Every structure is written in C-alpha cells, then in structure tokens.
Amino acid sequence: MPEGHSIHRIARQFNDVFTGESVRVSSPQGRYTDGAALLDGASVLNAYAHGKHLFVPFNNELTLNVHLGIYGNWSFGGDETFTGASSIGAPRKIGEKEYTAGEAEEYTGPPAPKGTTRCRIVSEHGWADLVGPTICRTLNPDEVAQVRAKLGPDPLNTDANPERFYAAARKSSRPIGVILMDQAAISGVGNIFRAESLYRQEIDPLRPGKTLTDDELSRLWEDNKHLLTIGVRVGRIITTEQKDRPGIHETEAWPEHANYVYQHHGELCPRCGTTIRMEEIAGRKLYWCPGCQK
C-alpha cells in the first residue's frame, strides 16, 4: 500500500496540472458514475493529502476523496504543457511511466480508458485516470470533516498536532510498532517507515506504547516527519543517512542502499552486527534488530 509520502506527491501533481481548471469527470467503469456526475464541469481547487487519503476539492463545495488501498493507482498524461505525466500508486513501478506526447506527436486527448478505470478527470491539456482504489467517493464539507476527524495527525501537514499521537501511545498497552501503523493515531506511516524509524531511534517495536518516554515519542514523530519529507522529495522511501552510504546520493540509494532493516532479515545489523529479525505482528511483517532495539 502506498505510504503517506506518495499521496502527498499525488496531491502536488493535481495542484500542478489541474488547479483552477474546469474539468470533465466520469467513471468509465461505472462504479462511480453518480459521484462523478456531481463534479463534472466544476473547477478543481487545491488538492491535499491527510495520511493515505487524497482530497480534491471543487468550486461547488464538493470534494473527491480517494484512498488507493493496496491496488489503487493514478495515471497522468497530457500535452507538453501538462507537467504531471506519470503514474503513482500501486503496483509500484520502477521510475515513473511517462505519457506525455513527444515533440513529433500531437496531443489529441486522453487514450481510451481501461475497463477498470474508476474515475477519469480531463482538462484542456491533460487527464488523470484512477484504477483499483479502496475508496472513491464525493463528499460534502461535513463529510470531509468527519473523515478527517477519524484520522490521526499527518506529520507532513503544517497544522498537524502530534499530541493526539502522544496521547494514543501513552494510554496504550499495544506495542509501539502497532500504534505507528494505526492511522487513527498517526496518519501516513506504513510498514517501511514504521520499521525504519524505530530502528533509527533504537526503540524496541514490541515495547508497550505507555512505556515510552515523552522524548522517545517526540523523536519518533520528528523522525517520521523527516523521512516522509524525503519520500515526497525523492519519490522513494530512503531512510539511510548519507554517512552510511558514502558516495551514494539519496536519488541513487534505492533499492540496495535505501533502508537499514526493512526486508534485510537474516542479514547483520550495520550498527551492532546482530542478525536482523522479521516476524508478523498484527498481520504485518515487522523488521528490527534485537541488538540495537532493546
């Protein structure tokens, strides 16, 4: 499932290519026909992300809300002025697939949609297609507020208050490795950021949340904010520090030098030499170093 940085990148693409544009909205698949009709012909306002939810407001006071889930994917394309031509979401791709018309190729509109296209958005200069989302719906302002109220603070949002995350941890006997994945406690953190931030802060993922100090919780919040910001900038989850990959820039780190413990089980910890472990917790694979994270 795409983690929070990917959704913020999608919001940025929407703002780059659709903000202020009157668009046609349809549902080639037919599963979002009624919701699309409510947005068709309206203009796009500033899109934003909250955790793994994308919100695209329109000037008729309605909002497109999308959660990609495991299989969702947005594809963008258009003419030479449409700067957001790429594909973001799941399944993950190596690089970003370009759809922009070439110099000798005149843009004549979007290609025929796939039969699985849940939502298509078309402007004068480009298009965006959504396939396979868990959620695709049209919300009024009260409904948007209700959805966001159920979500924990998103470290990437400037108005995020980490106290809700701290409070959720302080009163819980659940492992901190589970709390970090709870989108009602903190939004946008997924399996990779969870494993890597706990490793970087040398915190045992199985420790009950209520046993963590205020300093440890603050460091987890700030480190996830730091790592998510890198993810938005690079388009990859890069959690290693430059000193640990000398000569390898962050844009070249993925996949071999991108992470410390995620999917490195059975290998030796680069910090202490202990064998990195993996086990399932709450239905997800958890990676950590028993030597460092005591």
Side-chain angles (χ1 to χ4, degrees):
M1 181 184 299
E3 302 194 29
H5 72 291
S6 291
I7 313 307
H8 280 267
R9 283 172 60 84
I10 293 171
R12 185 174 66 181
Q13 287 213 15
F14 263 87
N15 291 334
D16 285 345
V17 298
F18 286 130
T19 297
E21 296 283 334
S22 176
V23 295
R24 309 299 302 182
V25 184
S26 62
S27 180
Q29 183 192 53
R31 293 182 58 185
Y32 178 56
T33 300
D34 292 343
L38 295 172
L39 303 175
D40 188 37
S43 295
V44 176
L45 304 180
N46 284 327
Y48 60 92
H50 188 151
K52 300 179 182 182
H53 281 260
L54 173 70
F55 297 91
V56 184
F58 286 73
N59 68 344
N60 60 0
E61 298 189 348
L62 296 177
T63 296
L64 169 64
N65 172 219
V66 173
H67 189 297
L68 291 178
I70 297 176
Y71 303 109
N73 179 53
W74 279 103
S75 295
F76 298 80
D79 64 20
E80 69 280 359
T81 70
F82 192 85
T83 59
S86 68
S87 181
I88 294 181
R92 293 165 179 79
K93 295 177 173 62
I94 298 175
E96 294 187 345
K97 186 175 181 181
E98 294 294 335
Y99 290 99
T100 305
E103 292 182 4
E105 182 182 355
E106 182 180 357
Y107 176 71
T108 58
K114 297 178 180 178
T116 55
T117 301
R118 185 77 57 85
C119 176
R120 164 165 280 194
I121 299 175
V122 181
S123 69
E124 180 181 357
H125 297 284
W127 54 272
D129 278 359
L130 172 67
V131 300
T134 296
I135 294 173
C136 176
R137 58 193 175 187
T138 300
L139 304 179
N140 63 38
D142 288 341
E143 291 167 331
V144 170
Q146 290 170 17
V147 172
R148 297 193 70 186
K150 296 177 182 178
L151 299 174
D154 181 337
L156 285 173
N157 288 337
T158 57
D159 61 348
N161 185 349
E163 284 301 324
R164 181 167 172 177
F165 165 59
Y166 300 158
R170 289 181 186 125
K171 67 182 181 182
S172 180
S173 297
R174 295 181 300 165
I176 186 62
V178 173
I179 296 170
L180 280 171
M181 296 281 283
D182 182 354
Q183 299 301 298
I186 181 171
S187 287
V189 176
N191 205 20
I192 306 177
F193 287 120
R194 178 261 299 267
E196 294 293 306
S197 63
L198 287 168
Y199 174 80
R200 286 164 56 94
Q201 300 306 317
E202 300 185 36
I203 296 173
D204 182 348
L206 301 179
R207 275 180 62 187
K210 63 183 181 182
T211 69
L212 270 70
T213 66
D214 290 349
D215 178 65
E216 287 173 320
L217 290 173
S218 176
R219 286 191 285 114
L220 278 176
W221 172 269
E222 292 299 330
D223 203 36
N224 275 288
K225 180 178 181 178
H226 168 66
L227 297 177
L228 283 159
T229 299
I230 294 172
V232 173
R233 181 174 68 244
V234 180
R236 295 285 187 186
I237 300 179
I238 308 299
T239 58
T240 52
E241 292 297 322
Q242 184 65 56
K243 63 182 176 63
D244 296 322
R245 43 177 167 80
I248 302 173
H249 190 264
E250 62 182 14
T251 57
E252 304 297 327
W254 192 90
E256 185 177 356
H257 303 282
N259 310 126
Y260 291 111
V261 293
Y262 180 75
Q263 293 190 340
H264 287 289
H265 52 294
E267 301 176 20
L268 299 182
C269 169
R271 191 160 54 197
C272 75
T274 302
T275 300
I276 295 169
R277 293 181 58 184
M278 182 275 288
E279 68 178 72
E280 286 204 6
I281 177 172
R284 300 297 301 274
K285 292 180 179 179
L286 174 67
Y287 302 85
W288 87 102
C289 171
C292 293
Q293 297 173 258
K294 293 182 180 179

